[in-house]
Amino acid sequence: MSGARTILGPALIYVVANMLTAAIPLLLLPLFTRVLSPEDYGRIAMFGVVVQLLGALAGLSVHGAIGVRFFDRETIDFPRFVGSCLAVLAGSLLLVLAVVLITLPLLETFTKLPGPWLLIAVAVSGANFVVQSQLAIFQSAGQPIRFGALRLTQATLDLGLSLVLVLSLGLAWQGRAAGVTLAAAAAALLALAMMRSGGWLRLPGTRDYARQALRFGLPLVPHAIGGLLIASVDRFMISNILDVGSAGIYLVAIQIGLVLNLVTDAGNRAFAPWLMRSLKQNDPNLDLAVVRLTYLGFGMLLLLGVAMGLAAPALLSVLVGEEFRSAGPVIIYVTIGQAFGGMYLLVTNYVFFAGKTGRLAAVSLTCGLLNVGLSYILLTTRGLEGAAQAFMCAQLLQFLGTWWLASRAHPMPWGLQPSAHAR
């Protein structure tokens, strides 16, 4: 299949870069789970979740518009558009910072993190937005080597700084959080330098471009929040219903499942640009090839999810300290959930192509809210396994709901019958 050959080269580079990136937390597992307590690991988990949550608000998801508008760069002032997106980031970060400051005592109680680290998390979310913006440019420009180099730079800094701060200076969970923070800041500065040197950034932005970016990004904010309710609410609930130590044990299962998540992300980053170009051709035969490739992705993801879930518990005796080995029964639900998440990524591209981001947000937010209730029920009755089972079910519901939406937003020959396909 010509589409598969077109995707294979870039996908391999994305997979290698993402696998090396995924190796960072796995390399840290044998060390940190032997020198840190489950409570310390739980606070590391909470810091990561807070950064993700704030990341849904920082920049208001307009970095996604950068990747899409790249393909319109012949008709717009694309560098000025990027500058406008960064201006949106600056304004939204100030608003997020104000809200965090106002609600700091409540957030400290809910997240189990000290106030200063919550403020630092705001800065990290902004730095990650800048990095994601440059990564979106590299992806749309078909530059997987540069994409991988930037990702690996941040991951390597994260690894090195965390090792020094935790093992050499004995800073416990604060050392790991500081490593994440410093690596994000350095990667953001590098990304800004790349934008300027590559001619992708011009300041100041314009109000018109900022409005265009917001029209794309704002409907995605509920979508991002819904995704976080699916992917991260379990750690909040575990910390508050059980304890922070249990959240640390659960994080071990999540980090092992993250390997599959990064593989699916790599494949999707290679698949999405080719898909966008293919759909624009409005060719029924090409559409059929696209659907077949999508189905192939479904099957491979499910096989990977089950295989990883079955194999991972046997590796825990090598990977983690004794206090964390109770994560074993949880892992298979996490990896299958990540497989459903990868399947969701494949079908959500059709929705992005059709511009139906508002409807996508409704699906994601609905599934996220359902996950809150399901997580509470299963967590209180089945413990950590219940939390993982809720995650798996929520990922399945999001995939099925988004696939249904994709079939309505942009009809495709999902029945593998091109003669019945008409737009």
Side-chain angles (χ1 to χ4, degrees), residues 294-312:
T294 303
Y295 283 152
L296 177 62
F298 289 172
M300 292 177 64
L301 286 168
L302 277 177
L303 286 174
L304 278 172
V306 173
M308 286 184 61
L310 293 174

Side-chain angles (χ1 to χ4, degrees), residues 99-132:
V99 172
V100 170
L101 284 170
I102 293 170
T103 60
L104 202 56
L106 178 62
L107 290 175
E108 286 179 314
T109 300
F110 189 56
T111 65
K112 317 300 182 187
L113 293 173
W117 282 103
L118 293 171
L119 300 178
I120 290 172
V122 176
V124 175
S125 69
N128 285 338
F129 177 98
V130 175
V131 175
Q132 288 297 322

Side-chain angles (χ1 to χ4, degrees), residues 24 28 32 44 47-48 51 117 120-121 123-125 127-128 154-155 157-163 165-166 173-188 255:
I24 301 301
L28 293 174
F32 285 178
I44 292 171
F47 182 76
V51 168
W117 282 103
I120 290 172
V124 175
S125 69
N128 285 338
Q154 183 174 358
L157 286 171
D158 188 349
L159 173 64
L161 290 167
S162 296
L163 287 173
L165 293 170
V166 174
W173 73 267
Q174 295 94 332
R176 178 72 181 108
V180 171
T181 300
L182 294 173
Q255 288 185 324

Side-chain angles (χ1 to χ4, degrees), residues 118-262:
L118 293 171
L119 300 178
I120 290 172
V122 176
V124 175
S125 69
N128 285 338
F129 177 98
V130 175
V131 175
Q132 288 297 322
S133 297
Q134 179 59 79
L135 291 175
I137 294 172
F138 285 151
Q139 178 184 335
S140 295
Q143 297 177 338
I145 294 177
R146 293 185 177 183
F147 177 100
L150 180 55
R151 286 214 68 182
L152 288 175
T153 297
Q154 183 174 358
T156 303
L157 286 171
D158 188 349
L159 173 64
L161 290 167
S162 296
L163 287 173
V164 171
L165 293 170
V166 174
L167 299 182
S168 298
L169 301 182
L171 295 183
W173 73 267
Q174 295 94 332
R176 178 72 181 108
V180 171
T181 300
L182 294 173
L189 291 174
L190 178 59
L192 286 172
M194 287 177 168
M195 287 182 197
R196 294 303 298 267
S197 64
W200 302 121
L201 174 62
R202 185 176 296 121
L203 296 172
T206 69
R207 290 184 179 180
D208 182 54
Y209 283 151
R211 283 194 292 267
Q212 291 179 30
L214 286 169
R215 279 197 295 271
F216 179 94
L218 281 176
L220 289 176
V221 173
H223 166 62
I225 293 174
L228 285 171
L229 289 176
I230 294 173
S232 304
V233 73
D234 44 14
R235 273 148 283 177
F236 279 116
M237 299 183 78
I238 290 168
S239 294
N240 287 275
I241 294 175
L242 299 180
D243 52 59
V244 177
S246 296
I249 293 170
Y250 189 76
L251 177 60
V252 169
I254 293 295
Q255 288 185 324
I256 292 174
L258 185 63
V259 175
L260 180 56
N261 175 266
L262 290 172

Side-chain angles (χ1 to χ4, degrees), residues 306-320:
V306 173
M308 286 184 61
L310 293 174
L315 300 175
L316 283 184
S317 60
V318 177
L319 288 176
V320 303

